[in-house]
Structure formats: structure tokens, C-alpha cells
Amino acid sequence: MKETIKSYAIITLGCALYALAFNWYYVPNNLTCGGFTGVAQILNFFIPVLPVGLTMLALNVPLYVMGLRRFGFGFLVKSLYATAACSVLVDVIAALYTFQPMDELLACIYGGVILGVGCGLMLRKEATIGGTELASWLLRRRLPHISIGNILLGLDLAVITAYAAAFRNLNNALYGGVALFVTIKVMDLIIYGGNNGKLAHIISSKEEEIAKALLSAGVGVTKLRAVGAYTNTDRAVLLCAVRRREIVMVKRLVEEIDPNAFFIMSDTSEVLGEGFGEYKPNGL
């Protein structure tokens, strides 16, 4: 029960941030954040009697039917709550206070950050307000090598293009693209930030010493058998996933033992397993 309350509290916070960013930064500056919110903005422009929040809710119904079959009843309850809360908060904030326009660049940067945090918090608790977010989640089951943020980027760019055509305002659509890029990066940071890291490949004639030193420091090491193409001799390649805070320590240990070691450090968007994130087949 305690975890459930905590999850819904975080989802509510995410909804509040989303609604605040939308009313504070997007609406006064005629920016779009893409997705079904962007579609609702376009419909509201042509049919002003349609509230943006209520329109968002109506557009999401078909996607939730698909989501129910894929993710089950628990997903549906969380996402319906998130959609309803976000829709209500968007309209309530709009009714309580009218924000004034500001510099478009500041609006798309700060609006993108707050929106990204809000969406990221909801997705971390396996909830979505539907639209292109839900579509991205469904697509990621078929494209697991692509982050939710990058899938969302492609879908939302289509909505922003439609927004530019509807409002005949290319500049604001371009600003919306900048805001979308900021949102995607922040959202991926919130979703995957706790599980990302670096992947190190170490090739050295002193692999045993390096492996022992890394294991003593609490870094997991895997030995890969390899053959040098030039020398045609067998040798080991040490593979280890490290958190960002451990990078300097790993480099120092390798340099101290073998300054001539061949050392490759690359980025990883997500690391799952003991000491890192937990694998959830139906989750993010």
C-alpha cells in the first residue's frame, strides 16, 4: 500500500509539472509540445469551444484499449489516472491564472526541461498520459534498441509539422522543435539516468593483475577470449560496466598497473543486472 501511494504521488507530481509547463511556457507563446496535446491545440484553434484538456482525454481512449491488451489492468488504471489528472490540471491552471508571453527561446528551454521531468516521472512509474508517449511505449516493445525518447521524437516531429501548417507560423514550430529536443533529453535522463554508465574494454598483457585490482575495488569484470590480428596470439579482453562516478578510479587502476594498456571507454544508455537496474520484460 505504501509503495502504491508513493507511485501515485509521483505520478501526480509529474502531471502537475506537465500542466504547469504547458500553461506557463507553451500556451502564452503559441508553442506546441507535440503529441495529442499538440493535436488538441490544433483542434482548439479551429473549434475554440473544445477545451484542450478534455480533448486530450477523448483522443486517448483508443490507445488505452490497445494498451490494456498489451500491459494489463494495472497499467490502465495508472495511465487513466495520469491522463485524467493531467487533463484536469491543464484546464484548472488555465482557468485560475493567465501567464504572459516571454522570450520564445527561454520558453522552449525551460518549458522543455519541466515537461521532460514531468513525463519522465510518470514513465518511471509506468504511467503515461497517452498519445505519442503511449505509442512510443508500444513501439519500444518491437524496437527495444531505441530509447523511448528517440521514438517519441520522431512521432512528435510529425505533430509539430502539422502544427506549423495549421497556425502558419514556422518560427514557433521551430521553437517547438527545440523544446521537444530538450524534453526528450531530460525525459531520457529521468527514465534511464539511474541505469546508465560506461562500458570499458581493457586489453593488456597484465590482465590478471588488472582484473584482481578491479574486483577488489568492487567492479565486476568479465574475460573475453580474443586473438590479436597482427601477432596471432591469444589474449584476454577485460569487459566491465562501471557507473560514471567510478570512471576515474578504473582509469587510475589500469594506468598504475599497465600504462601501455589499450583502454576503450564507451557510453551505455542502460545497464541492467546486479548493482545496476532491474530488468522488467513489460516495463521501460
Side-chain angles (χ1 to χ4, degrees):
M1 177 61 71
K2 184 178 179 180
E3 281 299 316
T4 301
I5 294 173
K6 182 180 177 181
S7 292
Y8 277 91
I10 292 175
I11 292 170
T12 304
L13 176 60
C15 292
L17 290 173
Y18 185 103
L20 181 63
F22 179 74
N23 282 290
W24 190 355
Y25 296 103
Y26 287 81
V27 173
N29 296 284
N30 295 318
L31 299 176
T32 180
C33 50
F36 277 10
T37 304
V39 175
Q41 285 180 284
I42 296 172
L43 292 175
N44 177 260
F45 175 75
F46 290 108
I47 311 174
V49 295
L50 292 178
V52 173
L54 185 60
T55 304
M56 288 165 53
L57 186 60
L59 289 172
N60 278 303
V61 173
L63 278 180
Y64 282 127
V65 174
M66 295 174 59
L68 175 62
R69 290 200 294 265
R70 287 291 182 91
F71 301 113
F73 187 72
F75 158 82
L76 181 65
V77 171
K78 282 186 177 180
S79 294
L80 282 177
Y81 172 79
T83 303
C86 197
S87 300
V88 169
L89 287 169
V90 164
D91 289 338
V92 167
I93 292 175
L96 292 176
Y97 190 82
T98 301
F99 292 93
Q100 299 303 310
M102 65 175 69
D103 179 82
E104 287 89 348
L105 184 59
L106 290 176
C108 67
I109 291 175
Y110 285 97
V113 169
I114 296 176
L115 201 71
V117 172
C119 291
L121 289 175
M122 286 185 274
L123 286 169
R124 275 190 70 88
K125 293 303 175 182
E126 298 184 352
T128 172
I129 59 171
T132 49
E133 286 182 16
L134 178 52
S136 300
W137 205 355
L138 292 168
L139 283 172
R140 191 174 186 269
R141 290 174 64 87
R142 296 182 176 275
L143 304 169
H145 57 287
I146 304 177
S147 74
I148 287 179
N150 287 332
I151 297 174
L152 186 61
L153 180 62
L155 295 175
D156 281 346
L157 282 176
V159 176
I160 288 176
T161 302
Y163 182 89
F167 287 89
R168 300 182 185 278
N169 191 327
L170 180 60
N171 283 345
N172 279 13
L174 293 174
Y175 278 122
V178 173
L180 175 62
F181 179 79
V182 174
T183 297
I184 295 308
K185 293 303 177 183
V186 173
M187 187 173 71
D188 272 350
L189 181 64
I190 296 296
I191 295 173
Y192 303 112
N195 297 332
N196 66 6
K198 294 278 190 176
L199 188 64
H201 291 80
I202 305 163
I203 304 173
S204 170
S205 59
K206 300 179 179 179
E207 75 270 4
E208 289 292 342
E209 295 178 53
I210 294 174
K212 288 179 180 178
L214 291 173
L215 289 171
S216 297
V219 177
V221 181
T222 299
K223 287 185 179 181
L224 306 177
R225 305 313 305 178
V227 178
Y230 182 75
T231 61
N232 201 35
T233 57
D234 292 337
R235 62 194 321 166
V237 177
L238 302 181
L239 171 70
C240 52
V242 297
R243 296 190 182 279
R244 294 186 182 275
R245 64 176 179 270
E246 299 171 329
I247 295 171
V248 174
M249 179 268 293
V250 171
K251 286 182 177 179
R252 179 177 52 79
L253 284 177
V254 173
E255 185 178 8
E256 287 176 353
I257 297 171
D258 185 4
N260 297 317
F262 195 70
F263 189 95
I264 303 171
M265 185 73 79
S266 56
D267 286 316
T268 61
S269 62
E270 190 172 17
V271 182
L272 302 177
E274 186 176 353
F276 289 88
E278 180 183 355
Y279 175 65
K280 298 179 181 179
N282 294 321
L284 296 173

